PDB file of all heavy atoms in Angstrom:
ATOM      1  N   PHE H   1    -291.075 -98.780  31.862  1.00 94.00           N
ATOM      2  CA  PHE H   1    -291.367 -97.339  32.115  1.00 94.00           C
ATOM      3  C   PHE H   1    -290.253 -96.432  31.723  1.00 94.00           C
ATOM      4  O   PHE H   1    -289.036 -96.857  31.757  1.00 94.00           O
ATOM      5  CB  PHE H   1    -291.795 -97.127  33.571  1.00 94.00           C
ATOM      6  CG  PHE H   1    -292.995 -97.925  33.936  1.00 94.00           C
ATOM      7  CD1 PHE H   1    -292.751 -99.144  34.606  1.00 94.00           C
ATOM      8  CD2 PHE H   1    -294.327 -97.522  33.753  1.00 94.00           C
ATOM      9  CE1 PHE H   1    -293.808 -99.838  35.111  1.00 94.00           C
ATOM     10  CE2 PHE H   1    -295.332 -98.375  34.067  1.00 94.00           C
ATOM     11  CZ  PHE H   1    -295.157 -99.522  34.733  1.00 94.00           C
ATOM     12  N   ASP H   2    -290.547 -95.139  31.480  1.00 91.00           N
ATOM     13  CA  ASP H   2    -289.451 -94.300  31.179  1.00 91.00           C
ATOM     14  C   ASP H   2    -288.658 -93.721  32.415  1.00 91.00           C
ATOM     15  O   ASP H   2    -289.036 -93.937  33.610  1.00 91.00           O
ATOM     16  CB  ASP H   2    -289.864 -93.028  30.322  1.00 91.00           C
ATOM     17  CG  ASP H   2    -290.860 -92.118  30.946  1.00 91.00           C
ATOM     18  OD1 ASP H   2    -290.886 -92.199  32.274  1.00 91.00           O
ATOM     19  OD2 ASP H   2    -291.604 -91.428  30.344  1.00 91.00           O
ATOM     20  N   GLY H   3    -287.610 -93.074  32.107  1.00 91.00           N
ATOM     21  CA  GLY H   3    -286.710 -92.477  33.229  1.00 91.00           C
ATOM     22  C   GLY H   3    -287.559 -91.593  34.138  1.00 91.00           C
ATOM     23  O   GLY H   3    -287.141 -91.440  35.316  1.00 91.00           O
ATOM     24  N   PHE H   4    -288.450 -90.829  33.630  1.00 90.00           N
ATOM     25  CA  PHE H   4    -289.207 -89.818  34.526  1.00 90.00           C
ATOM     26  C   PHE H   4    -289.975 -90.670  35.547  1.00 90.00           C
ATOM     27  O   PHE H   4    -290.009 -90.267  36.747  1.00 90.00           O
ATOM     28  CB  PHE H   4    -290.058 -88.941  33.643  1.00 90.00           C
ATOM     29  CG  PHE H   4    -289.338 -88.178  32.604  1.00 90.00           C
ATOM     30  CD1 PHE H   4    -289.585 -88.337  31.213  1.00 90.00           C
ATOM     31  CD2 PHE H   4    -288.505 -87.260  32.927  1.00 90.00           C
ATOM     32  CE1 PHE H   4    -289.065 -87.542  30.392  1.00 90.00           C
ATOM     33  CE2 PHE H   4    -287.820 -86.459  32.090  1.00 90.00           C
ATOM     34  CZ  PHE H   4    -288.086 -86.628  30.709  1.00 90.00           C
ATOM     35  N   TYR H   5    -290.570 -91.766  35.061  1.00 93.00           N
ATOM     36  CA  TYR H   5    -291.315 -92.585  35.958  1.00 93.00           C
ATOM     37  C   TYR H   5    -290.470 -93.192  37.144  1.00 93.00           C
ATOM     38  O   TYR H   5    -290.757 -93.141  38.284  1.00 93.00           O
ATOM     39  CB  TYR H   5    -292.043 -93.725  35.251  1.00 93.00           C
ATOM     40  CG  TYR H   5    -292.579 -94.881  36.110  1.00 93.00           C
ATOM     41  CD1 TYR H   5    -293.909 -94.567  36.668  1.00 93.00           C
ATOM     42  CD2 TYR H   5    -291.853 -95.836  36.532  1.00 93.00           C
ATOM     43  CE1 TYR H   5    -294.448 -95.525  37.386  1.00 93.00           C
ATOM     44  CE2 TYR H   5    -292.472 -96.839  37.395  1.00 93.00           C
ATOM     45  CZ  TYR H   5    -293.753 -96.688  37.834  1.00 93.00           C
ATOM     46  OH  TYR H   5    -294.321 -97.601  38.752  1.00 93.00           O
ATOM     47  N   TRP H   6    -289.334 -93.701  36.666  1.00 94.00           N
ATOM     48  CA  TRP H   6    -288.413 -94.349  37.686  1.00 94.00           C
ATOM     49  C   TRP H   6    -287.826 -93.326  38.697  1.00 94.00           C
ATOM     50  O   TRP H   6    -287.599 -93.579  39.784  1.00 94.00           O
ATOM     51  CB  TRP H   6    -287.273 -95.127  37.022  1.00 94.00           C
ATOM     52  CG  TRP H   6    -287.690 -96.431  36.242  1.00 94.00           C
ATOM     53  CD1 TRP H   6    -287.608 -96.707  35.024  1.00 94.00           C
ATOM     54  CD2 TRP H   6    -288.424 -97.465  36.911  1.00 94.00           C
ATOM     55  NE1 TRP H   6    -288.159 -97.928  34.712  1.00 94.00           N
ATOM     56  CE2 TRP H   6    -288.634 -98.430  35.847  1.00 94.00           C
ATOM     57  CE3 TRP H   6    -288.788 -97.748  38.148  1.00 94.00           C
ATOM     58  CZ2 TRP H   6    -289.316 -99.665  36.129  1.00 94.00           C
ATOM     59  CZ3 TRP H   6    -289.520 -99.047  38.444  1.00 94.00           C
ATOM     60  CH2 TRP H   6    -289.769 -99.845  37.400  1.00 94.00           C
ATOM     61  N   THR H   7    -287.654 -92.149  38.127  1.00 92.00           N
ATOM     62  CA  THR H   7    -287.081 -91.020  39.013  1.00 92.00           C
ATOM     63  C   THR H   7    -288.200 -90.570  40.001  1.00 92.00           C
ATOM     64  O   THR H   7    -287.784 -90.462  41.124  1.00 92.00           O
ATOM     65  CB  THR H   7    -286.647 -89.796  38.169  1.00 92.00           C
ATOM     66  OG1 THR H   7    -285.561 -90.196  37.314  1.00 92.00           O
ATOM     67  CG2 THR H   7    -286.141 -88.630  39.071  1.00 92.00           C
ATOM     68  N   ASN H   8    -289.394 -90.435  39.646  1.00 90.00           N
ATOM     69  CA  ASN H   8    -290.443 -90.198  40.607  1.00 90.00           C
ATOM     70  C   ASN H   8    -290.591 -91.273  41.552  1.00 90.00           C
ATOM     71  O   ASN H   8    -290.772 -90.982  42.753  1.00 90.00           O
ATOM     72  CB  ASN H   8    -291.755 -89.998  39.708  1.00 90.00           C
ATOM     73  CG  ASN H   8    -291.807 -88.649  39.036  1.00 90.00           C
ATOM     74  OD1 ASN H   8    -291.301 -87.753  39.476  1.00 90.00           O
ATOM     75  ND2 ASN H   8    -292.417 -88.662  37.830  1.00 90.00           N
ATOM     76  N   GLN H   9    -290.471 -92.458  41.203  1.00 92.00           N
ATOM     77  CA  GLN H   9    -290.486 -93.531  42.062  1.00 92.00           C
ATOM     78  C   GLN H   9    -289.373 -93.535  43.083  1.00 92.00           C
ATOM     79  O   GLN H   9    -289.600 -93.624  44.337  1.00 92.00           O
ATOM     80  CB  GLN H   9    -290.558 -95.018  41.358  1.00 92.00           C
ATOM     81  CG  GLN H   9    -291.796 -95.178  40.498  1.00 92.00           C
ATOM     82  CD  GLN H   9    -293.086 -95.325  41.357  1.00 92.00           C
ATOM     83  OE1 GLN H   9    -293.185 -96.084  42.317  1.00 92.00           O
ATOM     84  NE2 GLN H   9    -294.014 -94.475  41.089  1.00 92.00           N
ATOM     85  N   LEU H  10    -288.186 -93.330  42.517  1.00 93.00           N
ATOM     86  CA  LEU H  10    -287.016 -93.362  43.360  1.00 93.00           C
ATOM     87  C   LEU H  10    -287.002 -92.143  44.499  1.00 93.00           C
ATOM     88  O   LEU H  10    -286.582 -92.298  45.529  1.00 93.00           O
ATOM     89  CB  LEU H  10    -285.730 -93.268  42.581  1.00 93.00           C
ATOM     90  CG  LEU H  10    -284.406 -93.360  43.228  1.00 93.00           C
ATOM     91  CD1 LEU H  10    -284.405 -94.602  44.124  1.00 93.00           C
ATOM     92  CD2 LEU H  10    -283.305 -93.223  42.310  1.00 93.00           C
ATOM     93  N   ARG H  11    -287.550 -90.953  43.973  1.00 89.00           N
ATOM     94  CA  ARG H  11    -287.490 -89.854  44.736  1.00 89.00           C
ATOM     95  C   ARG H  11    -288.503 -89.911  45.968  1.00 89.00           C
ATOM     96  O   ARG H  11    -288.260 -89.134  47.071  1.00 89.00           O
ATOM     97  CB  ARG H  11    -287.834 -88.510  44.015  1.00 89.00           C
ATOM     98  CG  ARG H  11    -286.710 -87.876  43.248  1.00 89.00           C
ATOM     99  CD  ARG H  11    -285.690 -87.205  44.280  1.00 89.00           C
ATOM    100  NE  ARG H  11    -284.384 -86.863  43.762  1.00 89.00           N
ATOM    101  CZ  ARG H  11    -283.321 -87.661  43.853  1.00 89.00           C
ATOM    102  NH1 ARG H  11    -283.349 -88.697  44.410  1.00 89.00           N
ATOM    103  NH2 ARG H  11    -282.198 -87.230  43.203  1.00 89.00           N
ATOM    104  N   GLN H  12    -289.426 -90.919  45.937  1.00 87.00           N
ATOM    105  CA  GLN H  12    -290.231 -91.185  47.068  1.00 87.00           C
ATOM    106  C   GLN H  12    -289.573 -91.895  48.270  1.00 87.00           C
ATOM    107  O   GLN H  12    -289.968 -91.942  49.331  1.00 87.00           O
ATOM    108  CB  GLN H  12    -291.489 -91.947  46.653  1.00 87.00           C
ATOM    109  CG  GLN H  12    -292.423 -91.213  45.594  1.00 87.00           C
ATOM    110  CD  GLN H  12    -293.513 -91.985  45.156  1.00 87.00           C
ATOM    111  OE1 GLN H  12    -294.086 -92.822  45.994  1.00 87.00           O
ATOM    112  NE2 GLN H  12    -294.008 -91.755  43.887  1.00 87.00           N
ATOM    113  N   LEU H  13    -288.335 -92.508  47.750  1.00 88.00           N
ATOM    114  CA  LEU H  13    -287.604 -93.364  48.720  1.00 88.00           C
ATOM    115  C   LEU H  13    -286.274 -92.866  49.114  1.00 88.00           C
ATOM    116  O   LEU H  13    -285.689 -93.190  50.146  1.00 88.00           O
ATOM    117  CB  LEU H  13    -287.566 -94.796  48.198  1.00 88.00           C
ATOM    118  CG  LEU H  13    -288.842 -95.445  47.806  1.00 88.00           C
ATOM    119  CD1 LEU H  13    -288.602 -96.789  46.984  1.00 88.00           C
ATOM    120  CD2 LEU H  13    -289.774 -95.779  49.089  1.00 88.00           C
ATOM    121  N   SER H  14    -285.722 -92.071  48.223  1.00 89.00           N
ATOM    122  CA  SER H  14    -284.246 -91.706  48.316  1.00 89.00           C
ATOM    123  C   SER H  14    -283.981 -90.368  47.763  1.00 89.00           C
ATOM    124  O   SER H  14    -284.676 -89.929  46.867  1.00 89.00           O
ATOM    125  CB  SER H  14    -283.382 -92.886  47.575  1.00 89.00           C
ATOM    126  OG  SER H  14    -282.058 -92.463  47.615  1.00 89.00           O
ATOM    127  N   LYS H  15    -282.879 -89.822  48.340  1.00 86.00           N
ATOM    128  CA  LYS H  15    -282.305 -88.569  47.889  1.00 86.00           C
ATOM    129  C   LYS H  15    -281.050 -88.799  47.101  1.00 86.00           C
ATOM    130  O   LYS H  15    -280.271 -87.825  46.748  1.00 86.00           O
ATOM    131  CB  LYS H  15    -282.142 -87.508  48.940  1.00 86.00           C
ATOM    132  CG  LYS H  15    -283.281 -87.077  49.792  1.00 86.00           C
ATOM    133  CD  LYS H  15    -284.270 -86.309  48.837  1.00 86.00           C
ATOM    134  CE  LYS H  15    -285.470 -85.770  49.599  1.00 86.00           C
ATOM    135  NZ  LYS H  15    -286.421 -85.034  48.649  1.00 86.00           N
ATOM    136  N   VAL H  16    -280.771 -90.057  46.620  1.00 92.00           N
ATOM    137  CA  VAL H  16    -279.647 -90.279  45.886  1.00 92.00           C
ATOM    138  C   VAL H  16    -279.438 -89.302  44.719  1.00 92.00           C
ATOM    139  O   VAL H  16    -280.419 -89.172  43.953  1.00 92.00           O
ATOM    140  CB  VAL H  16    -279.492 -91.794  45.490  1.00 92.00           C
ATOM    141  CG1 VAL H  16    -280.653 -92.155  44.649  1.00 92.00           C
ATOM    142  CG2 VAL H  16    -278.096 -92.137  44.953  1.00 92.00           C
ATOM    143  N   PRO H  17    -278.406 -88.874  44.403  1.00 92.00           N
ATOM    144  CA  PRO H  17    -278.129 -87.963  43.119  1.00 92.00           C
ATOM    145  C   PRO H  17    -278.508 -88.713  41.973  1.00 92.00           C
ATOM    146  O   PRO H  17    -278.140 -89.861  41.817  1.00 92.00           O
ATOM    147  CB  PRO H  17    -276.701 -87.463  43.137  1.00 92.00           C
ATOM    148  CG  PRO H  17    -276.365 -87.635  44.536  1.00 92.00           C
ATOM    149  CD  PRO H  17    -277.092 -88.759  45.153  1.00 92.00           C
ATOM    150  N   ILE H  18    -279.109 -88.067  40.973  1.00 94.00           N
ATOM    151  CA  ILE H  18    -279.477 -88.672  39.600  1.00 94.00           C
ATOM    152  C   ILE H  18    -279.067 -87.717  38.509  1.00 94.00           C
ATOM    153  O   ILE H  18    -279.258 -86.547  38.490  1.00 94.00           O
ATOM    154  CB  ILE H  18    -280.956 -88.813  39.533  1.00 94.00           C
ATOM    155  CG1 ILE H  18    -281.470 -89.726  40.668  1.00 94.00           C
ATOM    156  CG2 ILE H  18    -281.417 -89.412  38.138  1.00 94.00           C
ATOM    157  CD1 ILE H  18    -283.052 -89.888  40.801  1.00 94.00           C
ATOM    158  N   ILE H  19    -278.302 -88.229  37.546  1.00 93.00           N
ATOM    159  CA  ILE H  19    -277.962 -87.635  36.334  1.00 93.00           C
ATOM    160  C   ILE H  19    -278.641 -88.287  35.165  1.00 93.00           C
ATOM    161  O   ILE H  19    -278.610 -89.495  35.021  1.00 93.00           O
ATOM    162  CB  ILE H  19    -276.526 -87.747  36.066  1.00 93.00           C
ATOM    163  CG1 ILE H  19    -275.566 -86.820  37.092  1.00 93.00           C
ATOM    164  CG2 ILE H  19    -276.158 -87.045  34.629  1.00 93.00           C
ATOM    165  CD1 ILE H  19    -274.141 -86.947  36.931  1.00 93.00           C
ATOM    166  N   PHE H  20    -279.553 -87.382  34.421  1.00 90.00           N
ATOM    167  CA  PHE H  20    -280.189 -88.013  33.264  1.00 90.00           C
ATOM    168  C   PHE H  20    -279.255 -88.121  32.084  1.00 90.00           C
ATOM    169  O   PHE H  20    -278.516 -87.076  31.895  1.00 90.00           O
ATOM    170  CB  PHE H  20    -281.387 -87.101  32.934  1.00 90.00           C
ATOM    171  CG  PHE H  20    -282.693 -87.645  33.551  1.00 90.00           C
ATOM    172  CD1 PHE H  20    -283.037 -87.579  34.826  1.00 90.00           C
ATOM    173  CD2 PHE H  20    -283.752 -88.147  32.602  1.00 90.00           C
ATOM    174  CE1 PHE H  20    -284.145 -88.088  35.296  1.00 90.00           C
ATOM    175  CE2 PHE H  20    -284.907 -88.528  33.137  1.00 90.00           C
ATOM    176  CZ  PHE H  20    -285.190 -88.568  34.455  1.00 90.00           C
ATOM    177  N   ILE H  21    -279.426 -89.181  31.376  1.00 89.00           N
ATOM    178  CA  ILE H  21    -278.626 -89.251  30.212  1.00 89.00           C
ATOM    179  C   ILE H  21    -279.669 -89.588  28.968  1.00 89.00           C
ATOM    180  O   ILE H  21    -280.403 -90.573  29.232  1.00 89.00           O
ATOM    181  CB  ILE H  21    -277.566 -90.423  30.237  1.00 89.00           C
ATOM    182  CG1 ILE H  21    -276.613 -90.040  31.389  1.00 89.00           C
ATOM    183  CG2 ILE H  21    -276.895 -90.675  28.924  1.00 89.00           C
ATOM    184  CD1 ILE H  21    -275.598 -91.211  31.600  1.00 89.00           C
ATOM    185  N   SER H  22    -279.716 -88.779  27.887  1.00 80.00           N
ATOM    186  CA  SER H  22    -280.700 -89.082  26.959  1.00 80.00           C
ATOM    187  C   SER H  22    -280.267 -88.412  25.596  1.00 80.00           C
ATOM    188  O   SER H  22    -279.427 -87.558  25.458  1.00 80.00           O
ATOM    189  CB  SER H  22    -281.961 -88.363  27.296  1.00 80.00           C
ATOM    190  OG  SER H  22    -282.971 -88.541  26.352  1.00 80.00           O
ATOM    191  N   ALA H  23    -280.800 -89.086  24.557  1.00 76.00           N
ATOM    192  CA  ALA H  23    -280.595 -88.665  23.230  1.00 76.00           C
ATOM    193  C   ALA H  23    -281.632 -87.540  22.911  1.00 76.00           C
ATOM    194  O   ALA H  23    -281.401 -86.877  21.777  1.00 76.00           O
ATOM    195  CB  ALA H  23    -280.701 -89.692  22.181  1.00 76.00           C
ATOM    196  N   ALA H  24    -282.532 -87.246  23.745  1.00 64.00           N
ATOM    197  CA  ALA H  24    -283.586 -86.115  23.598  1.00 64.00           C
ATOM    198  C   ALA H  24    -282.755 -84.827  23.612  1.00 64.00           C
ATOM    199  O   ALA H  24    -281.822 -84.662  24.247  1.00 64.00           O
ATOM    200  CB  ALA H  24    -284.515 -86.316  24.531  1.00 64.00           C
ATOM    201  N   GLU H  25    -283.501 -83.888  23.162  1.00 62.00           N
ATOM    202  CA  GLU H  25    -283.000 -82.550  23.160  1.00 62.00           C
ATOM    203  C   GLU H  25    -283.011 -81.921  24.587  1.00 62.00           C
ATOM    204  O   GLU H  25    -283.618 -82.365  25.395  1.00 62.00           O
ATOM    205  CB  GLU H  25    -283.847 -81.470  22.258  1.00 62.00           C
ATOM    206  CG  GLU H  25    -283.651 -81.721  20.770  1.00 62.00           C
ATOM    207  CD  GLU H  25    -282.307 -81.552  20.298  1.00 62.00           C
ATOM    208  OE1 GLU H  25    -281.537 -80.727  20.797  1.00 62.00           O
ATOM    209  OE2 GLU H  25    -281.816 -82.357  19.373  1.00 62.00           O
ATOM    210  N   MET H  26    -282.073 -80.944  24.802  1.00 55.00           N
ATOM    211  CA  MET H  26    -281.864 -80.418  26.232  1.00 55.00           C
ATOM    212  C   MET H  26    -283.220 -79.909  26.787  1.00 55.00           C
ATOM    213  O   MET H  26    -283.592 -80.172  27.872  1.00 55.00           O
ATOM    214  CB  MET H  26    -280.800 -79.387  26.184  1.00 55.00           C
ATOM    215  CG  MET H  26    -280.298 -79.042  27.592  1.00 55.00           C
ATOM    216  SD  MET H  26    -279.384 -80.284  28.241  1.00 55.00           S
ATOM    217  CE  MET H  26    -278.852 -79.493  29.833  1.00 55.00           C
TER     218      MET H  26
END
């Protein structure tokens, strides 16, 4: 799954800070 999916899953369980890193445009 992509990073958006994992972030949504993680946000249901935790408020740990997340920094996205990607080759995609800003």
